[in-house]
Amino acid sequence: MDLKAKLEYAVSMTCSSCVDAVKKVVGCHPEITNYAIDLEKQQVVVDSCLSANEVKNLLESTGLKAALVGIGSTLDKGHLGAAVVELRGSLIKGVIRMVQLTKDLCLIDGTVEGLPPGQHALNVHTYGDLTNGCESCGDHFNPNGSRHGRQDEQIRHVGDLGNIEADPNGKARFRFTDNYLKVHAVIGRSLVIHENPDDFASEDGNSGKGIACAIIARSSGLFQNPKRFCACDGISIWEERNVPDAGSGRSQKGST
Ligand code: ZN
């Protein structure tokens, strides 16, 4: 099974020695199977089964800044959809990405920290409503009126993604594909991590209350996001969201 995704980064390359530095880190990495570097566009595109954050760290090991601007499939040229879930609890934090690799294959990749060690059920829930935290997210997403089941079963709630496992330090790292979940069908809904493992027997998995949840948000596909680094002061395209477009606030990034 192909767990690769195509990842597009804006990288603050300004000269050919920057390109050489990037080439050095991506060119010989065993988990990067293909890459393209464009100095003029400040663009690096890689095919990899590393997480988006691992590739960002690799690119930034050159001393340059890198920001993910698009994510897509290595198997299908069209953009079939991508989404991101950002968990920003006081204890539990993480990022989960979903990429529709083909019409019937969705890649789910996540890193979550701050979890109680052990197994936890992972489910897409029907509503993207966090008014009462995970309580208001509704039931497991179940558009076909099926029974609850394991992730590898044909008959299950579409939202049944099985269990993830947190190590003794509370970190869970997972990457798997799913044949039933479609990115376009879950954008605007919620992803919930439960306190207990799914037992795959009872009606809803008997996994207890949600301990972390967030809305599944659309993310950019490949080559859809033209923003690049501002050459003037090195503020990254993501940091720019937090600073004014101009004026005195611009020099105070990160101070709020
Ligand atoms: Zn279920």
Side-chain angles (χ1 to χ4, degrees), residues 123 140 147-149 157 159-160 198 203-204:
N123 298 98
H140 298 172
R147 63 165 170 76
H148 178 75
H157 301 147
D160 294 343
D198 195 321
E203 204 176 315
D204 63 352

Short mmCIF file of all heavy atoms in Angstrom, two decimals, residues 123 140 147-149 157 159-160 198 203-204, ligand 1:
data_model
loop_
_atom_site.label_atom_id
_atom_site.label_comp_id
_atom_site.label_asym_id
_atom_site.label_seq_id
_atom_site.Cartn_x
_atom_site.Cartn_y
_atom_site.Cartn_z
N ASN A 123 -12.27 8.81 16.20
CA ASN A 123 -13.50 8.79 15.42
C ASN A 123 -13.80 10.15 14.79
O ASN A 123 -13.61 11.18 15.43
CB ASN A 123 -14.70 8.42 16.30
CG ASN A 123 -14.58 7.03 16.88
OD1 ASN A 123 -14.18 6.86 18.03
ND2 ASN A 123 -14.88 6.02 16.09
N HIS A 140 -20.74 9.12 16.05
CA HIS A 140 -19.80 8.77 14.99
C HIS A 140 -20.46 9.06 13.64
O HIS A 140 -21.63 8.74 13.44
CB HIS A 140 -19.43 7.28 15.05
CG HIS A 140 -18.74 6.88 16.32
ND1 HIS A 140 -18.47 5.57 16.63
CD2 HIS A 140 -18.27 7.62 17.34
CE1 HIS A 140 -17.86 5.52 17.81
NE2 HIS A 140 -17.72 6.77 18.25
N ARG A 147 -23.68 -0.30 11.31
CA ARG A 147 -23.34 -0.50 12.72
C ARG A 147 -21.89 -0.06 12.95
O ARG A 147 -21.12 0.10 12.01
CB ARG A 147 -23.55 -1.95 13.13
CG ARG A 147 -22.66 -2.92 12.39
CD ARG A 147 -22.62 -4.30 13.07
NE ARG A 147 -21.96 -5.28 12.22
CZ ARG A 147 -20.64 -5.36 12.04
NH1 ARG A 147 -19.82 -4.51 12.61
NH2 ARG A 147 -20.13 -6.29 11.25
N HIS A 148 -21.55 0.10 14.24
CA HIS A 148 -20.19 0.46 14.61
C HIS A 148 -19.23 -0.70 14.28
O HIS A 148 -19.64 -1.86 14.33
CB HIS A 148 -20.14 0.76 16.11
CG HIS A 148 -18.79 1.10 16.62
ND1 HIS A 148 -18.20 2.32 16.39
CD2 HIS A 148 -17.90 0.38 17.33
CE1 HIS A 148 -17.00 2.32 16.95
NE2 HIS A 148 -16.80 1.17 17.53
N GLY A 149 -18.00 -0.40 13.94
CA GLY A 149 -17.08 -1.49 13.62
C GLY A 149 -15.62 -1.10 13.66
O GLY A 149 -15.26 0.00 14.07
N HIS A 157 -19.30 2.39 10.87
CA HIS A 157 -19.52 3.82 10.66
C HIS A 157 -18.35 4.34 9.83
O HIS A 157 -17.20 3.93 10.07
CB HIS A 157 -19.54 4.57 12.00
CG HIS A 157 -20.61 4.08 12.94
ND1 HIS A 157 -20.43 4.10 14.31
CD2 HIS A 157 -21.85 3.60 12.71
CE1 HIS A 157 -21.54 3.64 14.88
NE2 HIS A 157 -22.40 3.33 13.94
N GLY A 159 -17.02 7.01 10.21
CA GLY A 159 -16.15 7.70 11.17
C GLY A 159 -15.33 6.79 12.07
O GLY A 159 -14.57 7.29 12.91
N ASP A 160 -15.46 5.49 11.93
CA ASP A 160 -14.72 4.56 12.81
C ASP A 160 -13.29 4.36 12.32
O ASP A 160 -13.05 3.64 11.35
CB ASP A 160 -15.43 3.19 12.85
CG ASP A 160 -16.79 3.27 13.52
OD1 ASP A 160 -17.05 4.26 14.22
OD2 ASP A 160 -17.59 2.32 13.32
N ASP A 198 -11.42 1.72 21.74
CA ASP A 198 -12.63 1.20 21.12
C ASP A 198 -12.64 -0.32 21.35
O ASP A 198 -11.65 -0.99 21.07
CB ASP A 198 -12.56 1.50 19.61
CG ASP A 198 -13.87 1.33 18.90
OD1 ASP A 198 -14.61 0.39 19.24
OD2 ASP A 198 -14.15 2.13 18.01
N GLU A 203 -22.23 -0.72 20.77
CA GLU A 203 -22.83 0.10 19.73
C GLU A 203 -21.95 1.28 19.28
O GLU A 203 -21.89 1.63 18.11
CB GLU A 203 -24.16 0.64 20.26
CG GLU A 203 -25.14 0.99 19.17
CD GLU A 203 -26.46 1.42 19.79
OE1 GLU A 203 -26.94 0.75 20.72
OE2 GLU A 203 -26.98 2.45 19.34
N ASP A 204 -21.25 1.88 20.24
CA ASP A 204 -20.42 3.04 19.89
C ASP A 204 -18.95 2.81 20.25
O ASP A 204 -18.17 3.74 20.29
CB ASP A 204 -20.95 4.29 20.58
CG ASP A 204 -20.86 4.16 22.10
OD1 ASP A 204 -20.55 3.05 22.58
OD2 ASP A 204 -21.11 5.16 22.79
ZN ZN B 1 -18.71 4.02 15.35
#
